[in-house]
Amino acid sequence: MINPPGLTNHVTTAQVDHDVLAVRSLNVPPVSQGDCVTGQLYLGGRLARSYGEPVECRWRPDRVTRRTTIDGWRIETTTVCPPGEPGVVVRAEVTNTAAHARELRFGAWIDSTVVRQDGPWLRAEPPQAANTMTVAGARRIGRPEDGSAVAVQGLVSGRGGEAADVAGTPRLVEERREVAAGETCVLAYVHTIGPDEATATAAYDRIARDVAGAIEASRAAWDASLAAMFTPGNPEFGGCLPVLETSDDALRTLYWWGALGVLWFRRDNPASVLGRTYDTLMPRYWQTTTFIWDYSLSSTVHALLDPGVMRRQITHWVGLDIERHFGTEWLTGGPVGYWYSVNHYAMTRLVADYLRYHGDRDFLAEAVTTPSGERRTMAENVRAWARAWHRIRSGSGLADYGGIDNLLECVSTYVHEVASLNAANVWCLRTAAEVAELEGGADAPAAAAQLRAEADALVPLVNALYVDGAGYFHARQPDGSLVETRHAYDFATVGTTIAADLPARQRREMVEFFVRELRTPSWMRALSPWDENAGYSVRADHQWNGAYPAWPPDSARAAIALGRPEVVLEWLDGLARSANQGPPGQAHFVEEAVTPIDGGARKTPPQLPYIIDWSCSSAGAWCELVLRGIFGIEVSLEGTVTAGGCIADLDPGARLRGLVVQGRTYDVGADGAVTASPA
């Protein structure tokens, strides 16, 4: 029930495994080890995990450290993906805690499933193939039958040379040495992959020559990237995030958690036909894929931090059929998966946020050829997305958003006419009206007025789904029947798109429902356990036993918009405890499902029936909670910046410094004052 931490250098991704030495899921697309587990520790000739001793595991962006004590041997390891290298290294310090000298038998069990797949990676699991293994001194060489790739693995002595292997079998490499009482010896396990033996061996040799240097280089690279995220004119990104100054530790933790969680998914792989991209999941699933939905949930961070990449990504998606797929993969640029109903809302949100922060009016006029062969400007696309729901409108006047796979995938009643995306249509129509006014022209006022009139007429139809007095909504089925759905996605999306359109009593009831049935001390339930569908699945991203990482911050923004900021501010300390396991996971368990880790909601494991990855790119929603929710920052398409959230109730001395909007830099105070920063 533990999801072990991942590592990346923005080209290579990997994951440590459950013992103190092993790694898995080493991938450098288009070369892949799949989900192969290798480097498992043998100690004294016995599989180390079979001793049953606990392993302490600590994650940092640049490394994972693990330690355990087995049979009087204290073993401490440091694992990194060295910058620029197609591999991983694990440095092991082994100390003899006995009162006498003993023989150390330190072995690594080797496996390999490496393969190269140049075409699109269209499955959640990365490719892998059966390998033959050969012995080369203290190294083991893995090759698939087609010869498309090579894996090199082995043990290295503390001085950088090869270990003195005494095992000599394809599966095990082992060194034996006498260790005095209290003495510490150093070994390292190195694992590299490549399209050929020369490439993989050269990388192996570079790492093996200076393991300590590889670990230090990882620290320096991550320190530089983290600093660059908050530095105007930095060399790594096209923009930067504002610096948060606060005395509130929880607020600071959640803001940094969101920022790091987006940086974690930056991919600068030269094999990408799209250039720099931001993946959605890692390290286990969908290695080369960017989901439109998840990218949009970090929209504010992408717009502020890497706007050029965001602009290119939006344009690429416009040129594909977003009504048939959930995203694209970057080895070919082609589409992946089936249709996600959220796509029109997600694309509108991306364009709007890019425009708000950059004022790039040329982008509105940029024409892109759609999959149907029609050439439309970005402004025309925004209007088309805002009205796309007309094509799937039912007799009730609302859009039917399809079946389980088009929506939440593991809630079988959350289908067809749902409140969330129909409320989002109201927001999209109003945003399209703003875009029409920004675009200008003689017809702009009339076009904007018509879009707003359509939005206003849609609101009561959406609200007809509300369960009066209960705080949640129905989903209307094709036969006209209504099914109660106590889901967070309705609460979060309705609350962040049309809160001002709802009567005061309903706003109060919605927040009461959220507090009563969804919010927990350190996380939240995506689905109320009182919902009839709670028995359907244990996939914790959208069910009763946990939540996807964007649902807590988006629900918190909704609660603020609905007029109850205090239920958010009192929640922050608990949420911050859930940041103690690395970037946000694809889901965290609620406390009733699995015991928390140091008071924080535990990440859900990757295996069936949970199938949840260790980290997820929608982490940027936490930054949006701080910026738009708690500080109350709003940016118009013309670039006007206002603020006025609930931050003064939390920390009257808090400030955001260096918010860049359309070429101007602002500081934002807890009192809502927005001032131009000194040049």
Side-chain angles (χ1 to χ4, degrees):
M1 297 301 287
I2 290 290
N3 202 333
L7 288 164
T8 186
N9 59 19
H10 305 301
V11 176
T12 300
T13 62
Q15 186 174 26
V16 304
D17 201 50
H18 293 292
D19 79 2
V20 74
L21 185 71
V23 297
R24 68 190 303 157
S25 303
L26 175 62
N27 289 288
V28 190
V31 179
S32 168
Q33 274 278 35
D35 190 32
C36 176
V37 181
T38 185
Q40 294 184 73
L41 177 63
Y42 267 67
L43 191 67
R46 176 178 172 180
L47 182 68
R49 71 173 67 188
S50 74
Y51 285 90
E53 297 293 346
V55 176
E56 179 189 279
C57 186
R58 184 179 297 270
W59 178 89
R60 286 186 2 185
D62 65 320
R63 69 187 65 183
V64 174
T65 58
R66 290 170 281 176
R67 67 180 181 182
T68 191
T69 299
I70 299 173
D71 192 29
W73 298 102
R74 185 173 67 245
I75 308 161
E76 300 174 294
T77 63
T78 301
T79 308
V80 305
C81 288
E85 298 293 1
V88 63
V89 58
V90 187
R91 183 178 188 267
E93 298 181 7
V94 185
T95 302
N96 180 10
T97 66
H100 54 87
R102 295 188 294 164
E103 181 187 53
L104 170 66
R105 294 181 59 187
F106 186 95
W109 184 88
I110 305 299
D111 195 11
S112 182
T113 59
V114 70
V115 72
R116 174 172 177 148
Q117 181 175 308
D118 290 309
W121 291 15
L122 298 177
R123 294 175 52 85
E125 303 84 0
Q128 62 184 57
N131 279 197
T132 57
M133 305 280 291
T134 57
V135 177
R139 304 183 186 189
R140 304 295 181 264
I141 314 298
R143 296 181 180 86
E145 185 177 349
D146 65 5
S148 62
V150 170
V152 181
Q153 305 176 60
L155 286 182
V156 178
S157 73
R159 294 175 297 279
E162 285 197 353
D165 177 36
V166 298
T169 67
R171 285 294 191 184
L172 188 68
V173 54
E174 181 182 61
E175 176 161 309
R176 301 183 186 183
R177 66 171 69 173
E178 192 77 5
V179 181
E183 181 186 357
T184 298
C185 67
V186 178
L187 293 155
Y189 163 72
V190 180
H191 181 189
T192 60
I193 60 177
D196 52 64
E197 187 169 350
T199 301
T201 298
Y204 185 103
D205 289 342
R206 287 191 299 268
I207 296 169
R209 277 195 300 268
D210 188 4
V211 170
I215 294 171
E216 171 58 22
S218 181
R219 183 203 62 78
W222 275 98
D223 278 354
S225 292
L226 290 164
M229 291 188 82
F230 301 94
T231 304
N234 69 81
E236 291 200 30
F237 305 99
C240 64
L241 298 176
V243 173
L244 171 64
E245 297 177 347
T246 180
S247 61
D248 191 275
D249 291 340
L251 187 70
R252 184 188 309 108
T253 294
L254 294 172
Y255 184 63
W256 287 351
W257 198 36
L260 169 65
V262 175
L263 171 61
W264 189 244
F265 286 91
R266 189 183 81 194
R267 295 291 171 263
D268 292 318
N269 191 319
S272 169
V273 301
L274 302 178
R276 174 177 289 180
T277 57
Y278 286 82
D279 280 355
T280 293
L281 297 171
M282 76 153 285
R284 194 75 66 96
Y285 300 125
W286 295 113
Q287 290 274 340
T288 65
T289 299
T290 306
F291 288 64
I292 299 170
W293 192 352
D294 305 73
Y295 194 86
S296 75
L297 291 165
S298 293
S299 180
T300 293
V301 174
H302 288 299
L304 287 167
L305 182 65
D306 229 346
V309 174
M310 183 182 195
R311 191 186 199 275
R312 185 173 66 243
Q313 185 72 70
I314 293 169
T315 302
H316 181 69
W317 278 331
V318 171
L320 296 171
D321 192 346
I322 66 169
E323 296 181 355
R324 294 184 61 190
H325 306 286
F326 54 55
T328 51
E329 64 86 40
W330 44 258
L331 283 172
T332 65
V336 180
Y338 39 78
W339 173 55
Y340 272 179
S341 305
V342 74
N343 284 356
H344 294 118
Y345 171 44
M347 291 294 290
T348 305
R349 184 175 175 180
L350 290 167
V351 172
D353 282 344
Y354 174 77
L355 290 173
R356 292 184 204 286
Y357 287 103
H358 299 286
D360 185 358
R361 300 194 182 199
D362 291 341
F363 188 47
L364 284 178
E366 183 174 318
V368 178
T369 301
T370 67
S372 65
E374 181 182 1
R375 195 157 178 80
R376 290 197 303 231
T377 66
M378 196 61 67
E380 290 169 337
N381 277 303
V382 170
R383 285 192 288 275
W385 298 332
R387 288 179 165 137
W389 63 277
H390 289 183
R391 299 196 301 273
I392 52 175
R393 182 164 42 184
S394 73
S396 72
L398 295 179
D400 182 329
Y401 279 106
I404 187 171
D405 285 338
N406 308 122
L407 287 152
L408 298 177
E409 297 180 341
C410 57
V411 185
S412 65
T413 53
Y414 198 83
V415 290
H416 301 299
E417 295 179 41
V418 292
S420 56
L421 295 180
N422 277 287
N425 289 330
V426 176
W427 181 89
C428 289
L429 287 162
R430 290 169 175 167
T431 301
E434 294 180 59
V435 169
E437 290 170 338
L438 183 69
E439 188 182 21
D443 297 334
Q450 177 59 36
L451 287 161
R452 290 193 175 99
E454 289 183 35
D456 292 344
L458 185 54
V459 170
L461 300 181
V462 175
N463 220 27
L465 295 175
Y466 183 65
V467 181
D468 191 47
Y472 49 85
F473 294 81
H474 294 106
R476 185 181 285 114
Q477 306 305 298
D479 63 2
S481 62
L482 296 173
V483 178
E484 291 187 2
T485 55
R486 305 184 188 196
H487 204 279
Y489 193 59
D490 275 348
F491 175 78
T493 308
V494 172
T496 54
T497 55
I498 63 168
D501 296 285
L502 306 178
R505 180 175 62 84
Q506 181 179 341
R507 293 198 297 269
R508 183 181 68 253
E509 291 169 354
M510 288 176 64
V511 178
E512 288 171 352
F513 157 70
F514 168 70
V515 172
R516 182 179 68 248
E517 300 190 23
L518 301 182
R519 192 184 70 168
T520 72
S522 62
W523 201 241
M524 68 176 287
R525 309 175 186 97
L527 182 70
S528 167
W530 284 271
D531 191 286
E532 189 174 304
N533 202 251
Y536 181 78
S537 171
V538 293
R539 214 184 90 178
D541 45 355
H542 305 310
Q543 264 287 345
W544 70 270
N545 56 341
Y548 181 78
W551 299 165
D554 279 9
S555 295
R557 284 201 298 121
I560 293 169
L562 291 164
R564 294 287 304 281
E566 70 278 7
V567 307
V568 175
L569 300 184
E570 67 192 22
W571 194 27
L572 295 181
D573 286 342
L575 291 170
R577 293 195 299 270
S578 297
N580 64 10
Q581 300 157 67
Q586 185 187 346
H588 291 235
F589 281 126
V590 291
E591 297 84 347
E592 304 99 329
V594 176
T595 304
I597 295 179
D598 292 336
R602 185 183 302 201
K603 291 187 177 186
T604 310
Q607 66 271 10
L608 288 168
Y610 303 104
I611 56 171
I612 294 296
D613 219 338
W614 181 76
S615 55
C616 178
S617 68
S618 66
W622 293 94
C623 294
E624 187 154 0
L625 167 61
V626 174
L627 299 175
R628 297 193 61 193
I630 294 174
F631 272 87
I633 293 171
E634 294 294 337
V635 180
S636 72
L637 291 181
E638 293 81 11
T640 302
V641 183
T642 58
C646 54
I647 182 63
D649 296 331
L650 182 71
D651 178 9
R655 183 172 70 148
L656 285 166
R657 182 167 47 81
L659 174 67
V660 180
V661 177
Q662 299 194 16
R664 299 189 65 187
T665 305
Y666 301 91
D667 291 347
V668 181
D671 59 357
V674 179
T675 57
S677 300

